[in-house]
Amino acid sequence: RAKPVLSTADEPAPLSIVNAAYGGAWASLLLYAFGIAPGEFGAASDTAMLQNIISNPADPTSAGSLIWFAIFNLFAVIPVVLAALLLPTAKGQRLPATPFVLGSAFAGFFALGPYMITRSPEVEPDGDLPWVVRSINSRVCAASILTFLVAIAFTSQLYTVTDWGAETTKFAVLFSSSKFVAVSCADLFLLCSTAAFLAGEDATERGLGHASSNQLTAACLVLPVLGPALWLLLRPDLDADIEK
């Protein structure tokens, strides 16, 4: 079965319920950050924790929780995954993608949200991509992302945990007392969810049927960051038709 033909119109497709969903997610993140999340902005404890992590980047105990240390390091990976999934369809969108994708590396979904709210998925991938975008979409880059994920698994020392109850309690205490930790976790959840749905969209663009694309999205939701990264490594070329 040949891949679907996507819109190539000069104007992006009308906004849809998908855009409304992203709008709701962005608004919810703002509400959570400024009204619901525990702790205070600029708390001395958060500042001390960040300084400790920066001063001891190879020591997972510097974060106060091995789980939080691993989560914190995922923020170095997920923007690259999102860039690989978003930039090929950036041409023809209502807003330029680059500032928002770059912004997601520093401000997460707070920065990316407005772009997703206005983005149309019915835009054909650009066949003449800049070398930077081609590099980000290369299998070498995907392999590098996976290597970094393996490194996080080892540097966080989660494999050494024998008492997961105690370790989970440490993380829960941080989450319930630190605004930075709580908001960062909510932010990462939205970034990972966005990557999962974009991976499914990318699969459709590359010839997979809706059922297979939906299954990929579900897998990427179950395996955040890792699932989309594996897809970037294993996905077929854009001009490859997938037989069902």
Side-chain angles (χ1 to χ4, degrees), residues 127-206:
D128 187 20
L129 298 172
W131 72 267
V132 173
V133 179
R134 293 199 304 271
S135 298
I136 293 173
N137 274 269
S138 68
R139 285 183 170 81
V140 172
C141 183
S144 299
I145 293 171
L146 289 168
T147 300
F148 196 86
L149 289 175
V150 172
I152 290 175
F154 279 95
T155 57
S156 65
Q157 297 182 10
L158 286 173
Y159 63 92
T160 66
V161 176
T162 56
D163 187 348
W164 278 99
E167 189 59 41
T168 303
T169 299
K170 288 182 182 179
F171 174 69
V173 169
L174 273 178
F175 186 91
S176 63
S177 60
S178 167
K179 184 175 286 288
F180 180 74
V181 173
V183 173
S184 294
C185 289
D187 187 15
L188 184 64
F189 171 78
L190 291 179
L191 291 174
C192 291
S193 298
T194 300
F197 286 104
L198 289 173
E201 178 188 310
D202 187 59
T204 301
E205 292 167 356
R206 292 169 189 273

Side-chain angles (χ1 to χ4, degrees), residues 12-232:
L15 298 179
S16 68
I17 191 172
V18 174
N19 301 98
Y22 280 119
W26 189 64
S28 297
L29 180 62
L30 292 174
L31 176 62
Y32 182 72
F34 292 99
I36 301 176
E40 300 177 357
F41 283 113
S45 57
D46 284 350
T47 302
M49 177 183 61
L50 282 172
Q51 290 176 343
N52 200 23
I53 294 175
I54 294 171
S55 300
N56 305 279
D59 180 9
T61 62
S62 63
S65 162
L66 301 186
I67 296 174
W68 166 237
F69 183 83
I71 291 173
F72 183 81
N73 279 279
L74 288 177
F75 279 99
V77 182
I78 191 63
V80 183
V81 173
L82 289 166
L85 293 168
L86 284 171
L87 293 180
T89 57
K91 187 176 181 179
Q93 298 291 349
R94 294 176 176 83
L95 296 175
T98 302
F100 297 94
V101 172
L102 288 176
S104 71
F106 303 96
F109 198 78
F110 289 98
L112 188 66
Y115 180 73
M116 299 307 299
I117 292 170
T118 64
R119 177 181 178 272
S120 173
E122 291 84 14
V123 173
E124 188 175 63
D126 189 359
D128 187 20
L129 298 172
W131 72 267
V132 173
V133 179
R134 293 199 304 271
S135 298
I136 293 173
N137 274 269
S138 68
R139 285 183 170 81
V140 172
C141 183
S144 299
I145 293 171
L146 289 168
T147 300
F148 196 86
L149 289 175
V150 172
I152 290 175
F154 279 95
T155 57
S156 65
Q157 297 182 10
L158 286 173
Y159 63 92
T160 66
V161 176
T162 56
D163 187 348
W164 278 99
E167 189 59 41
T168 303
T169 299
K170 288 182 182 179
F171 174 69
V173 169
L174 273 178
F175 186 91
S176 63
S177 60
S178 167
K179 184 175 286 288
F180 180 74
V181 173
V183 173
S184 294
C185 289
D187 187 15
L188 184 64
F189 171 78
L190 291 179
L191 291 174
C192 291
S193 298
T194 300
F197 286 104
L198 289 173
E201 178 188 310
D202 187 59
T204 301
E205 292 167 356
R206 292 169 189 273
L208 274 71
H210 287 296
S212 297
S213 299
N214 290 338
Q215 290 170 1
L216 174 64
T217 298
C220 290
L221 288 171
V222 173
L223 298 172
V225 188
L226 177 60
L230 285 170
W231 168 251
L232 292 176

